[in-house]
Amino acid sequence: MNAPTSAKSLAMPAETKSAETKPAEAKPRQEAGYNYAYLDEQTKRSIRRALLKAVAIPGYQVPFGSREMPMPYGWGTGGVQVTASVLGPDDTLKVIDQGADDTTNAVSIRRFFAKTAGVKTTTRTEEASVIQTRHRIPETPLKAGQIVVFQVPIPEPLRWLEASEAETRKMHALEEYGVMHVKLYEDVARFGRISVAYDYPVKVDGRYIMRPSPIPKFDNPKLDRSPALMLFGAGREQRIYAVPPYTEVRSLDFEDHPFEVESWPRCCALCGAKDSFLDEIIVDDQGGRQFVCSDTDYCEARRAAGHRGPA
Amino acid sequence: MTAHPDSAVEIAAGFPDPVLDSQAAFRAILDAMAHPGRIATVGMQLSPPAPLAPASLACVLSLCDHETPLWLDDAASSLAASFRFHCGAPLVGAPDRAAFALCCGPLPALAGFGQGTAEYPEHSTTVICQVSALGDGVPMTLRGPGIDGGQQLSVAGLPDDFSAQWAANGALFPQGVDVILTQGQRLVALPRSVKIEPEVGTCMSQ
């Protein structure tokens, strides 16, 4: 198999995808034997209350009674519980994992909600009313009315700097964030720049420091004043937090070392996009490699519109 | 509806479809909380007894259960049996102990409700307050998270000093109460993060 064909089979499986991932498909039937969207009503109510508090206090982590889900921790149990509490029969759900609609995690979560909630699913960002995501924000600009649910492994931005929950809670209460600036300063002193590539800390509405979940810092500007509602769920750590629409989300930096996103000299090998976040993929056994869009829906839409990359 | 010992207690009807109606009501409230000052509508069929508005009933039914102490003002106290039956919420006499408060009469002082603590600001009361009109009455401009620029809102039936009370509530941020205003099937949320500016022009005219 030559290199470009193999790369296409990796990055373009949307063209050969099964019926359940086709955009704007007919509404599936809800599986019998489960409550709507799997969770019991009391759990949903408690998560809904936590969500309302999270929206009212932007960036603050609200504790909630996380439940065991039929998936392991680290696979998005927090995000799934938030989605289950939010989702209704009129919603259209999109699930992405590292930008891709077709990875195991994304496919199984999408199927899970198609079965238990009977919702329509899609891979198109602009068609979705609820987007559950692991580690990316779609390249297609989000719209007002959309809800993005982030899967969060570790919600506490100060955790690697201070191990004690009692201490970090006090630091948030007192807005005592000096230690975070010292950490970023030490980066500048050692490497000449802030060397955080993902999960780059942000300050929400000028008050709480927040982890944006492990999105690349390339995606941080998309959080700022986004018209969409951003909800974050950490299942193992039992925390929910939120960024309301049109809210200032500032990536931490220094005057003389301002925040900036990475740029690459390359474009996507398949669609030629220069403005999207690229994944490096190995395409053969000889060490051949290509850079392709991490957001498969964005790449596919560009190719459908006639854009072509060098590959 | 006050229950005489001999009379049967009248129970208000709940959601026709408890699961999907709870979800729909929650999404209306979430949408309102994420867009302060914007009027949301709860669509399901509810016909609660006076003085309760359908939107107020939808809020209580979709959010309250045995984990949420509920405080009722005098006007709403006739509904105690209904809320016990549908939600199992413990009814508390002290407003500062309540997770949710329902006011069908005049809004009491916001400072009397639970304000949360600096470390747990979410331990504050969410006040559901019925007003006489939404979209009509005293005009104000809202600013803050969830609002692109400024959001106009007019409300009739709030206390005269509500702006001052709200400013004091905002000064406590991240502590402070969140308010949901209801009228008929409509509701508006005022999360603690939102700032209220009185409409210019009324007091600044010569």
Side-chain angles (χ1 to χ4, degrees):
Chain A
M1 193 187 280
N2 65 23
T5 322
S6 171
K8 280 189 174 181
S9 70
L10 271 175
M12 295 175 29
E15 288 178 359
T16 55
K17 64 201 160 193
S18 60
E20 56 97 31
T21 63
K22 269 191 187 136
E25 68 183 276
K27 206 165 173 174
R29 183 191 295 264
Q30 187 199 333
E31 191 107 323
Y34 294 100
N35 188 30
Y36 184 79
Y38 186 80
L39 284 176
D40 63 281
E41 287 304 297
Q42 201 276 326
T43 300
K44 281 197 242 175
R45 264 195 306 274
S46 67
I47 293 173
R48 286 167 180 166
R49 292 193 294 262
L51 284 169
L52 293 179
K53 295 285 188 186
V55 171
I57 318 169
Y60 170 75
Q61 303 160 49
V62 184
F64 80 107
S66 180
R67 301 293 190 257
E68 293 253 351
M69 296 301 284
M71 51 165 46
Y73 286 129
W75 284 63
T77 51
V80 162
Q81 289 178 75
V82 170
T83 303
S85 306
V86 163
L87 216 55
D90 300 333
D91 280 313
T92 306
L93 178 70
K94 169 182 166 83
V95 185
I96 53 173
D97 174 3
Q98 301 272 17
D101 292 279
D102 48 30
T103 53
T104 311
N105 199 197
V107 169
S108 40
I109 292 173
R110 194 164 50 228
R111 269 193 201 152
F112 176 75
F113 283 116
K115 267 189 180 175
T116 58
V119 290
K120 278 189 297 188
T121 58
T122 183
T123 59
R124 302 226 175 102
T125 302
E126 62 274 16
E127 280 177 8
S129 58
V130 178
I131 304 172
Q132 181 171 332
T133 171
R134 173 177 173 268
H135 305 186
R136 273 314 306 278
I137 298 176
E139 307 286 1
T140 310
L142 299 168
K143 295 180 298 189
Q146 285 182 318
I147 297 177
V148 185
V149 179
F150 292 78
Q151 302 172 197
V152 180
I154 299 185
E156 177 51 70
L158 306 169
R159 182 59 71 235
W160 301 137
L161 308 171
E162 170 54 63
S164 155
E165 166 68 15
E167 284 297 318
T168 53
R169 185 163 285 280
K170 195 161 283 171
M171 288 157 84
H172 281 296
L174 300 174
E175 211 176 339
E176 178 50 69
Y177 293 137
V179 62
M180 178 59 90
H181 289 100
V182 170
K183 186 243 180 275
L184 298 178
Y185 168 74
E186 284 179 346
D187 268 13
V188 173
R190 289 168 72 183
F191 308 115
R193 62 192 173 86
I194 296 171
S195 67
V196 183
Y198 66 94
D199 219 343
Y200 192 105
V202 296
K203 196 166 210 182
V204 182
D205 195 34
R207 177 57 180 83
Y208 282 100
I209 284 189
M210 184 190 95
R211 269 185 120 120
S213 86
I215 57 172
K217 72 174 176 179
F218 179 87
D219 283 344
N220 272 24
K222 295 176 192 162
L223 289 165
D224 187 32
R225 295 176 208 281
S226 168
L229 171 62
M230 314 271 187
L231 306 175
F232 297 78
R236 177 174 40 204
E237 301 287 323
Q238 314 195 320
R239 294 291 185 276
I240 282 171
Y241 52 103
V243 177
Y246 311 112
T247 301
E248 185 196 52
V249 179
R250 203 169 58 75
S251 303
L252 298 181
D253 60 359
F254 299 105
E255 274 177 26
D256 51 347
H257 284 87
F259 172 81
E260 52 190 18
V261 298
E262 308 94 325
S263 58
W264 297 269
R266 300 169 199 276
C267 62
C268 172
L270 301 174
C271 77
K274 291 192 171 76
D275 58 349
S276 75
F277 191 76
L278 302 179
D279 282 343
E280 184 179 18
I281 54 167
I282 295 170
V283 292
D284 56 26
D285 291 338
Q286 275 68 54
R289 53 195 62 199
Q290 278 186 339
F291 288 88
V292 297
C293 288
S294 127
D295 185 337
T296 53
D297 166 61
Y298 182 71
C299 196
E300 200 182 314
R302 278 180 55 86
R303 275 177 286 145
H307 297 280
R308 287 288 176 274
Chain B
M1 233 187 56
T2 314
H4 186 271
D6 296 336
S7 69
V9 177
E10 195 183 325
I11 302 287
F15 284 135
D17 183 337
V19 172
L20 295 184
D21 288 346
S22 291
Q23 189 274 337
F26 165 71
R27 278 294 280 277
I29 301 166
L30 179 67
D31 189 50
M33 200 60 95
H35 300 91
R38 198 160 89 182
I39 297 173
T41 306
V42 289
M44 73 283 307
Q45 269 306 316
L46 286 172
S47 38
L52 194 62
S56 309
L57 179 60
C59 288
V60 175
L61 291 180
S62 62
L63 296 175
C64 292
D65 56 30
H66 64 271
E67 289 182 345
T68 57
L70 177 64
W71 180 84
L72 304 174
D73 73 352
D74 288 340
S77 60
S78 59
L79 294 145
S82 297
F83 293 140
R84 272 207 198 92
F85 176 78
H86 286 296
C87 309
L91 298 174
V92 289
D96 61 337
R97 302 276 307 278
F100 288 90
L102 175 62
C103 306
C104 291
L107 180 66
L110 293 179
F113 293 106
Q115 309 291 317
T117 64
E119 293 183 13
Y120 292 93
E122 78 277 20
H123 290 180
S124 60
T125 308
T126 301
V127 183
I128 303 160
C129 172
Q130 288 188 191
V131 294
S132 44
L134 288 175
D136 193 18
V138 182
M140 45 183 137
T141 303
L142 311 182
R143 295 186 196 283
I147 300 171
D148 188 13
Q151 168 76 43
Q152 308 295 318
L153 174 68
S154 300
V155 183
L158 284 175
D160 293 338
D161 65 342
F162 183 75
S163 293
Q165 284 196 50
W166 191 255
N169 186 59
L172 296 171
F173 190 87
Q175 290 161 262
V177 301
D178 306 313
V179 173
I180 300 172
L181 304 174
T182 63
Q183 184 252 323
Q185 294 208 302
R186 305 189 304 159
L187 60 91
V188 161
L190 299 175
R192 65 194 79 179
S193 56
V194 77
K195 305 259 183 300
I196 296 181
E197 294 168 8
E199 194 65 28
V200 288
T202 46
C203 56
M204 291 183 70
S205 59
Q206 307 171 5

